């Protein structure tokens, strides 16, 4: 119970410090002394600090100011916000992947938990395409899309980094050129043969369209650094480094397969069908031949090939 003192006929209550508070202060003291900080200064700062609020922490005012339509068509706002939500989810995915990539020794339970989170984010992305696919008038879309040329959702840098972080580079190489590339191939050469180069590069002449050139001008150097960084830290390599007893863990294998299929088939096809609803056979805003570079049956994007049977690999993306 608090002690009671009288002063000038006024009664003050001085709370007795609980053992829990004493322990908190002791641990805080140890933490701050460990980094050469004066605990008294930090505690004094708390006296004058404002309490945190939702808007200070989440910054919704800043977030909600980032939507800048280029036209007067209302459905353009849906298009912008949907893609921004995608980018936030991509960041969440990379946040989880990097926890696995940076860990020296990964246990099955930890790996499985992270893959579960990542897969749920992609499940959300896949199911959310109806927001855009059914949430815009085609007439409006076909008008405002003309103001977006030569930009394209293809130019999401985070999505490319997710691919680098998920599997070995050979699994991202255009299927036509995989036999000519191995682990001794330079990163620049491998980059030039990524499957998505087919969206805007003539491999016979080497000529690239504006979509690819703009993309590379902004991100190529970063991509080359990421390719090297994830070369031995990607999810597939990390998985193969696990002990045999761990690699056989049924829950982990199921999580790996679910992630692989969700990203490279379910998510891709949801995007593919949404694009088809609006574009038909027309080219994308960036000028890409999106039907060929996007459909999984053409490029056979598979992050973890050894976890699938020959029959499954043979029929990858077929009938969708």
């Amino acid at each position: 119970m608090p002690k009671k003192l009288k002063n000038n006929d006024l009664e003050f209550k001085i709370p007795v410090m609980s053992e829990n508070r004493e322990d908190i202060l002791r641990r805080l003291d140890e933490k701050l002394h460990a980094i050469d900080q004066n605990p008294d200064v930090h505690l004094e700062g708390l006296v004058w600090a404002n309490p945190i609020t939702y808007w200070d922490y989440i910054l919704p005012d800043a977030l909600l100011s980032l939507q800048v339509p280029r036209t007067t068509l209302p459905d353009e706002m849906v298009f912008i916000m949907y893609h921004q939500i995608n980018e936030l989810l991509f960041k969440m995915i990379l946040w989880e992947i990097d926890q696995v990539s940076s860990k020296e020794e990964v246990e099955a339970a930890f790996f499985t938990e992270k893959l579960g989170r990542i897969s749920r984010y992609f499940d959300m992305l896949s199911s959310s395409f109806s927001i855009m696919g059914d949430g815009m008038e085609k007439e409006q879309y076909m008008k405002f899309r003309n103001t977006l040329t030569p930009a394209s959702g293809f130019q999401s840098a985070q999505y490319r980094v997710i691919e680098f972080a998920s599997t070995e580079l050979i699994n991202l190489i255009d299927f036509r050129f995989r036999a000519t590339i191995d682990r001794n191939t330079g990163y620049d050469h491998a980059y030039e043969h990524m499957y998505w180069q087919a969206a805007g590069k003539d491999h016979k002449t080497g000529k690239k369209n504006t979509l690819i050139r703009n993309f590379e001008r902004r991100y190529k150097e970063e991509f080359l650094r990421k390719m090297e960084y994830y070369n031995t830290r990607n999810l597939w390599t990390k998985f193969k480094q696990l002990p045999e007893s761990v690699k056989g863990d049924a829950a982990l294998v199921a999580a790996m397969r679910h992630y692989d299929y969700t990203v490279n088939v379910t998510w891709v096809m949801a995007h593919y069908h949404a694009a088809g609803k609006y574009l038909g056979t027309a080219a994308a805003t960036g000028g890409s031949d999106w039907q060929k570079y996007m459909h999984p049956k053409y490029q056979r994007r598979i992050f973890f090939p050894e976890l699938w049977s020959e029959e499954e690999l043979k029929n990858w993306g077929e009938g969708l």
Side-chain angles (χ1 to χ4, degrees):
M1 295 293 292
K3 296 179 182 178
K4 295 181 180 180
L5 296 178
K6 286 189 176 182
N7 184 15
N8 295 330
D9 296 326
L10 294 176
E11 188 177 73
F12 294 91
K13 294 182 178 180
I14 302 176
V16 176
M17 187 178 296
S18 67
E19 291 183 7
N20 184 52
R21 187 181 300 175
E22 286 181 350
D23 182 60
I24 291 172
L25 289 173
R26 177 187 58 77
R27 288 186 286 125
L28 181 62
D29 190 76
E30 291 175 352
K31 174 183 177 180
L32 293 172
H33 274 118
I35 57 174
D36 300 320
Q37 293 291 297
N38 185 341
D40 292 341
V41 173
H42 285 265
L43 289 171
E44 174 72 11
L46 290 175
V47 173
W48 307 108
N50 286 321
I52 191 68
T53 64
Y54 177 84
W55 50 92
D56 290 330
Y57 185 59
I58 302 299
L59 300 176
D61 294 334
L63 189 63
L64 299 177
S65 70
L66 300 177
Q67 295 74 46
V68 186
R70 296 169 58 88
T71 72
T72 59
L73 298 163
D75 282 355
E76 186 188 359
M77 185 64 86
V78 176
F79 189 78
I80 292 172
M81 287 191 286
Y82 179 74
H83 283 83
Q84 289 181 340
I85 290 169
N86 282 356
E87 291 295 333
L88 287 173
L89 283 164
F90 290 160
K91 185 171 183 177
M92 293 173 74
I93 290 163
L94 284 169
W95 184 257
E96 300 294 343
I97 290 177
D98 283 340
Q99 290 179 61
V100 177
S101 298
S102 61
K103 201 173 182 64
E104 290 298 324
E105 295 185 10
V106 182
E107 297 177 351
F110 180 84
F111 209 142
T112 304
E113 179 189 352
K114 296 305 176 186
L115 281 173
R117 293 186 186 185
I118 295 164
S119 293
R120 285 194 293 275
Y121 299 149
F122 262 109
D123 287 340
M124 181 177 177
L125 285 166
S126 300
S127 62
S128 71
F129 260 111
S130 61
I131 294 173
M132 188 174 67
D134 299 328
M136 297 187 301
E137 293 180 7
K138 183 175 181 179
E139 183 179 357
Q140 287 191 45
Y141 173 75
M142 297 305 289
K143 289 177 180 177
F144 74 70
R145 74 183 293 269
N146 291 327
T147 71
L148 306 181
T149 303
S152 169
F154 166 92
Q155 294 170 317
S156 170
Q158 284 199 111
Y159 186 72
R160 302 305 165 199
V161 175
I162 288 171
E163 293 181 319
F164 298 148
S166 295
T167 191
E168 295 170 350
L169 287 176
I170 191 63
N171 297 323
L172 301 175
I173 298 298
D174 188 309
F175 199 72
R176 296 169 292 174
F177 306 106
R178 289 186 188 178
T180 66
I181 292 175
D182 57 31
R183 273 202 167 273
N184 296 318
T185 301
Y187 294 112
D188 196 277
H189 183 74
Y191 171 86
E192 292 297 334
H193 293 83
M194 292 286 108
Y195 79 88
W196 42 262
Q197 290 280 353
K201 177 180 179 181
D202 185 330
H203 280 287
K204 293 181 180 179
T205 65
K207 184 178 179 180
K208 300 180 181 183
N209 64 13
T210 303
L211 170 75
I212 295 285
R213 293 199 303 271
N214 288 345
F215 195 38
E216 292 182 347
R217 192 177 297 116
R218 174 65 177 84
Y219 291 113
K220 183 177 179 180
E221 291 304 315
E222 178 183 348
F223 285 164
L224 292 174
R225 289 193 297 271
K226 294 293 186 181
M227 289 165 69
E228 182 174 5
Y229 175 79
Y230 287 115
N231 184 43
T232 57
R233 296 180 177 90
N234 63 77
L235 293 178
W236 183 222
T237 299
K238 283 285 187 178
F239 175 84
K240 292 196 292 185
Q241 291 171 351
L242 294 171
E244 289 299 323
S245 58
V246 177
K247 285 190 288 188
D249 183 270
L252 177 54
V253 172
M256 293 284 284
R257 283 169 55 92
H258 179 77
Y259 174 59
D260 200 351
Y261 194 85
T262 300
V263 178
N264 292 311
V265 178
T266 309
W267 151 259
V268 172
M269 291 308 300
H271 195 170
Y272 182 91
H273 290 310
K277 177 178 179 178
Y278 289 99
L279 297 178
T281 58
T285 51
S288 65
D289 187 358
W290 57 273
Q291 294 98 329
K292 288 187 177 180
Y293 101 82
M294 185 182 290
H295 202 294
K297 72 178 181 180
Y298 292 119
Q299 291 298 339
R300 298 176 62 76
R301 298 182 298 280
I302 305 170
F303 288 161
F304 317 130
E306 292 174 30
L307 299 184
W308 301 94
S309 69
E310 289 187 14
E311 187 68 19
E312 289 171 323
L313 293 174
K314 179 182 176 181
N315 296 317
W316 193 261
E318 293 288 346
L320 298 172

